[in-house]
Amino acid sequence: MKHLLFAVFETNQYTKNVVNKLAENNINGTVLASTSLKHFMNELEDSDINFISLRHLSNLEKVNFEENTTFYALLEEEEIDSATAIIREETERFSKVRGGMFVLPVERYEGSF
């Protein structure tokens, strides 16, 4: 059975090390820049945007969100322990790089992962 590993890291100088170490160990996934809803809403309150519509998305580029790094990967069961151990080690159990992770079973998927 496949599993989805999902991890979010507060972006800092060590975050790249976490992602590089995963790649070095053949843990292939997707990395996205993200922000928390709390920071998103705080920045919107400080801007002149009163509500969000598709028309306002271009204005969001001007807002300076605090960035996180989101990593997710679809992994085989035997890869989970290795991937989570790397994340624990590289983040020093989320003290050097704050964030969190979780794993969910994936009953079905389609694609070429």
Side-chain angles (χ1 to χ4, degrees):
M1 176 184 280
K2 296 273 191 184
H3 289 77
L4 176 65
L5 168 62
F6 190 89
V8 177
F9 312 109
E10 282 187 3
T11 301
N12 69 25
Q13 63 191 16
Y14 304 108
T15 303
K16 188 175 180 182
N17 297 347
V18 179
V19 176
N20 284 339
K21 188 73 166 193
L22 289 165
E24 288 171 7
N25 286 274
N26 298 316
I27 305 297
N28 189 22
T30 301
V31 177
L32 304 168
S34 58
T35 191
S36 72
L37 187 56
K38 175 184 164 188
H39 287 101
F40 178 81
M41 296 308 291
N42 286 343
E43 288 291 331
L44 285 180
E45 287 174 6
D46 294 339
S47 73
D48 60 353
I49 301 172
N50 296 322
F51 61 93
I52 302 172
S53 70
L54 292 175
R55 183 176 59 151
H56 293 101
L57 288 179
S58 62
N59 290 337
L60 293 179
E61 294 172 5
K62 300 172 188 167
V63 179
N64 184 23
F65 294 115
E66 182 176 315
E67 269 194 21
N68 292 328
T69 300
T70 298
F71 171 82
Y72 66 92
L74 192 60
L75 303 172
E76 297 293 342
E77 177 122 17
E78 57 272 9
E79 296 174 297
I80 297 296
D81 287 341
S82 172
T84 56
I86 290 167
I87 292 170
R88 273 189 220 98
E89 179 182 322
E90 291 298 313
T91 64
E92 293 181 7
R93 295 194 174 268
F94 296 102
S95 64
K96 183 167 74 174
V97 179
R98 293 179 40 91
M101 68 177 161
F102 60 89
V103 177
L104 298 172
V106 176
E107 291 185 27
R108 296 189 320 183
Y109 77 96
E110 293 182 31
S112 56
F113 290 128

